[in-house]
Amino acid sequence: MKQETRSAPYKDQTLPVEARVDDLLSRMTFAEKAGQMTQVEKNSISFQESADYFIGSILSGGGGSPETNNPRAWLEMVNGYLAAARRTRLGIPSIYGVDAVHGHGTVFGATVFPHNIGLGAARDADLVERIGRITAVETAATGIRWDFAPEISVAQDIRWGRTVESYSEDPTIVAELGASYVRGLQGTDLKEPIAVLASLKHFAADGGTHWGSTIKGYSWIPGVWEQVDGEFMIDQGDTDMDEAELRRVHLAPYIAAIDEGARNVMVSYSSWHGLKMSANEYLLTDVLKGELGFDGFLVSDWRAIDQLDPDYYVCVVKSINAGLDMIMVPFDFKRFLATLTLAVEGGDIPMERIDDAVCRILRVKFEMGLFDTPLQDDSLVPLVGCEAHRKVALEAVHKSAVLLKNGQEIIPLSKDIPSILVAGQAADDIGLCCGGWTIEWLGVEGAITPGTTIIQGIQRAASPETQIYYTVDGSLPPGKPEAEVGILVLSEPLYAEGHGDRPDLHLPAEDIALLEQTRANCERLVVILVSGRPLIITDHLSKAEVWVAAWQPGTEAHGIVDLLFGDFPFTGKLPFTWPHTNDDLPAAGKTGDAALFPLGYGL
Ligand code: BGC
Ligand code: BGC
């Protein structure tokens, strides 16, 4: 067999992609086709099994690191799968995917950039493109050529746990930055070994769902009730907007990013008028593939098709017929393959649909040069988390923080203040400053990966004579007089996705106590909010001279300090309306009394 295919046209780099796709497709068995349509999480499959079942793609889910978490171990793990695929009868390359949503954050030592909300505040398309480029280099360094990013959701309700992953409530900003990220990530030629395939997510209108519309626990589907965590309230929910609004607000960023060369789209868990996107043939096939002419491929979200029906057979039939090309299974791939086979044999999924799906996947693999290039070696490993990359992350921190209040114009602070009291756990916690999708899916507190904290920045910036006290609870060391300046860092607890859905965005009681305590121990107070979204601070605004929204800045969190001391000017502008009260939610687009600070605000 090997012999026979050695000189096959699909191996000929000089032939056009379509000719290679056609030739390869004509040689494939059904099992080989079904395998291409399957994406499995690495913990669910061995190297050998991935070859035995002709699996088209492997992913690392959130926190899906190898046992030892370092770039070299990642490269070895990824190459294990890629090499196994190359040993199969036709040698069809597999593609490995990961959520590098703010840098390749799952990898220990990688550069972690501010989450999208911060980049929306920076609103610097060139910066986002450079971040995309760096993320591609660090991702490719570990052998991975597919990034489940950018998230181009246009979040309309900041109670949503994924607001942090959204550039803005304004589709114009999302479209501009999403396209820039694709340009950076994919580079000028997808064939380059450091070009990484972007995944636009989550199609469509995931940012437009309504509070309380998530069907809790999916109890209506016997047997799969565990699908959605009970606390999910808006994530994976439903939207009932009309089609004109869906297109104007939520489709616009897709059009811009596809124009920029995006070749993959991830389909949302959410629904529109009660119909799950994974089963929405009109949007997936008629609009995206038809009207918009998208000829790349669609991947499902993590186990998303399982939510379509109690009967898995129906889930598979509905999703593939609606237009999904690859299914992120991610656990029981044998069940998926068996069900898909049955559905095709039974005539419920036409063979043309299978061939179309496989063509789309192969087309992108050919375009990426996966058939023609050797596996990544370890030459890029030293670039993961390197100084040059961190400099760009630092620039992003400088540009993303928003100065909300500067009472008595105390910013910039003088570097030789006699004493500074620093308070709050996040002042010395890289994990809290990185947020979710860092090392683990939900993030982890503490010194989880190399980076520079806010307190380290203060120690470096202040004059040698300045007395710096750091207490987590805002108390003063015994016998010390009140400090001239207090710097309190408040932070949201860690979360990802629906685990961050929160009905009430008021500061919690512990934060208020911390604020009072720190206030009592300093003359003037600076509050830095480390959060994935605006929080309700109206009643507390007067308790500090200065309020700064720092978002989740990442491993170069110390950049905030440069702004406080005037080494860089504040230039960030709010990418979301900052609501006055919790009752003003959803606040997108609101002005007047409903907005404490309007969209675009920043001193
Ligand atoms: C995985 C994530 C995934 C999530 C979906 C987690 O267990 O680590 O990658 O997004 O499940 O619910
Ligand atoms: C998330 C996606 C992510 C996928 C894989 C899902 O739960 O919604 O954004 O790409 O998991 O981790």
Side-chain angles (χ1 to χ4, degrees):
M1 271 307 191
K2 270 251 134 126
Q3 210 57 6
E4 182 209 315
T5 57
R6 188 159 295 161
S7 57
Y10 78 89
K11 298 207 164 164
D12 183 350
Q13 294 185 43
T14 65
L15 290 180
V17 164
E18 292 311 308
R20 298 178 77 183
V21 170
D22 289 347
D23 176 63
L24 178 52
L25 190 74
S26 73
R27 295 167 190 273
M28 292 170 77
T29 63
F30 178 75
E32 285 165 336
K33 293 177 182 177
Q36 283 305 306
M37 296 172 66
T38 312
Q39 185 180 52
V40 188
E41 216 269 346
K42 58 104 180 165
N43 288 323
S44 308
I45 194 164
S46 68
F47 297 158
Q48 190 52 46
E49 276 178 313
S50 74
D52 292 345
Y53 290 87
F54 310 107
I55 299 301
S57 178
I58 305 288
L59 87 148
S60 275
S65 301
E67 213 154 305
T68 313
N69 186 356
N70 65 50
R72 223 167 266 280
W74 273 81
L75 178 65
E76 201 176 303
M77 166 180 80
V78 171
N79 276 348
Y81 290 105
L82 304 188
R86 290 178 181 221
R87 289 192 298 266
T88 56
R89 184 179 78 94
L90 295 167
I92 304 175
S94 155
I95 183 164
Y96 200 105
V98 73
D99 294 281
V101 297
H102 60 151
H104 197 3
T106 316
V107 178
F108 180 86
T111 309
V112 178
F113 298 93
H115 269 291
N116 283 355
I117 193 169
L119 303 183
R123 204 180 169 174
D124 180 336
D126 171 70
L127 171 67
V128 170
E129 182 175 339
R130 284 181 286 134
I131 289 173
R133 194 82 292 272
I134 290 170
T135 303
V137 170
E138 297 202 5
T139 304
T142 61
I144 301 179
R145 297 280 306 276
W146 184 6
D147 180 7
F148 306 133
E151 180 154 343
I152 51 172
S153 326
V154 191
Q156 298 296 293
D157 188 334
I158 62 172
R159 288 172 291 188
W160 187 30
R162 304 196 85 157
T163 305
V164 62
E165 298 180 63
S166 168
Y167 293 115
S168 176
E169 70 186 31
D170 177 350
T172 315
I173 298 178
V174 177
E176 182 191 13
L177 300 185
S180 304
Y181 188 86
V182 170
R183 205 180 310 131
L185 194 73
Q186 297 198 161
T188 46
D189 182 358
L190 264 178
K191 276 205 171 65
E192 291 291 327
I194 50 168
V196 169
L197 180 69
S199 185
L200 310 178
K201 72 188 192 183
H202 309 81
F203 188 85
D206 58 341
T209 59
H210 297 293
W211 184 259
S213 68
T214 310
I215 299 158
K216 276 203 182 180
Y218 284 92
S219 47
W220 58 289
I221 300 182
V224 287
W225 59 272
E226 77 283 4
Q227 276 303 300
V228 170
D229 203 287
E231 67 191 285
F232 287 30
M233 288 300 295
I234 181 167
D235 187 43
Q236 310 192 7
D238 184 62
T239 176
D240 60 8
M241 69 187 67
D242 64 25
E243 185 168 341
E245 186 184 345
L246 181 128
R247 284 176 181 261
R248 183 176 56 79
V249 178
H250 300 279
L251 280 195
Y254 285 88
I255 296 172
I258 290 167
D259 228 41
E260 204 53 68
R263 306 297 283 140
N264 175 256
V265 171
M266 188 186 290
V267 174
S268 181
Y269 284 115
S270 61
S271 52
W272 181 34
H273 298 300
L275 177 63
K276 285 273 174 190
M277 289 296 165
S278 318
N280 195 317
E281 185 176 354
Y282 171 67
L283 286 178
L284 305 189
T285 298
D286 300 351
V287 175
L288 183 52
K289 291 179 173 179
E291 187 187 318
L292 301 181
F294 179 72
D295 66 353
F297 69 102
L298 307 187
V299 67
S300 82
D301 204 339
W302 177 279
R303 229 179 151 194
I305 69 162
D306 302 33
Q307 299 182 358
L308 295 178
D309 196 273
D311 181 351
Y312 192 61
Y313 183 88
V314 176
C315 297
V316 172
V317 169
K318 278 193 177 172
S319 58
I320 304 288
N321 284 343
L324 271 165
D325 302 305
M326 183 185 279
I327 305 299
M328 192 189 292
V329 174
F331 303 113
D332 194 349
F333 66 92
K334 291 181 192 166
R335 172 170 169 245
F336 171 71
L337 289 171
T339 311
L340 182 64
T341 308
L342 214 62
V344 173
E345 281 170 1
D348 288 319
I349 299 176
M351 199 57 202
E352 302 80 71
R353 179 72 268 279
I354 300 292
D355 284 347
D356 172 56
V358 175
C359 274
R360 288 167 176 274
I361 295 162
L362 295 177
R363 177 178 299 137
V364 175
K365 288 183 174 182
F366 278 115
E367 287 171 356
M368 294 183 72
L370 301 183
F371 286 81
D372 315 317
T373 34
L375 297 183
Q376 181 62 49
D377 59 24
D378 63 3
S379 57
L380 299 174
V381 165
L383 295 178
V384 177
C386 69
E387 271 317 302
H389 291 179
R390 287 180 191 273
K391 253 183 90 179
V392 176
L394 182 63
E395 177 187 341
V397 176
H398 290 155
K399 291 180 171 171
S400 61
V402 179
L403 182 59
L404 300 173
K405 177 183 175 188
N406 187 13
Q408 298 163 35
E409 309 223 325
I410 68 167
I411 297 293
L413 299 170
S414 144
K415 288 186 180 169
D416 34 49
I417 305 166
S419 58
I420 303 177
L421 168 63
V422 183
Q425 185 187 338
D428 195 23
D429 195 312
I430 280 294
L432 283 173
C433 286
C434 286
W437 298 107
T438 319
I439 303 297
E440 292 294 342
W441 180 39
L442 305 177
V444 195
E445 290 181 15
I448 56 169
T449 193
T452 310
T453 63
I454 294 172
I455 183 76
Q456 287 171 326
I458 295 171
Q459 284 157 347
R460 215 152 50 187
S463 78
E465 286 74 41
T466 303
Q467 285 277 334
I468 300 170
Y469 314 117
Y470 175 48
T471 59
V472 171
D473 66 357
S475 61
L476 272 173
K480 296 292 178 190
E482 171 177 272
E484 266 73 18
V485 170
I487 299 177
L488 168 62
V489 188
L490 295 178
S491 59
E492 261 199 301
L494 294 170
Y495 56 79
E497 302 185 40
H499 291 289
D501 289 355
R502 270 175 64 188
D504 184 347
L505 294 178
H506 282 102
L507 289 183
E510 312 87 80
D511 283 0
I512 297 169
L514 195 55
L515 179 58
E516 309 279 359
Q517 162 102 316
T518 315
R519 170 80 268 180
N521 289 326
C522 62
E523 272 171 44
R524 288 165 300 166
L525 181 61
V526 174
V527 178
I528 299 173
L529 276 181
V530 169
S531 68
R533 54 189 148 198
L535 299 173
I536 307 294
I537 55 171
T538 312
D539 293 345
H540 310 291
L541 209 57
S542 64
K543 291 177 193 150
E545 281 72 17
V546 175
W547 285 82
V548 175
W551 317 114
Q552 290 174 335
T555 49
E556 309 318 304
H558 64 109
I560 306 295
V561 177
D562 301 331
L563 301 167
L564 299 184
F565 287 103
D567 290 330
F568 288 89
F570 275 96
T571 53
K573 304 273 181 256
L574 289 182
F576 285 87
T577 304
W578 197 295
H580 201 264
T581 74
N582 212 68
D583 295 335
D584 295 319
L585 298 169
K590 288 192 178 161
T591 50
D593 283 351
L596 180 63
F597 305 112
L599 178 71
Y601 176 87
L603 297 174

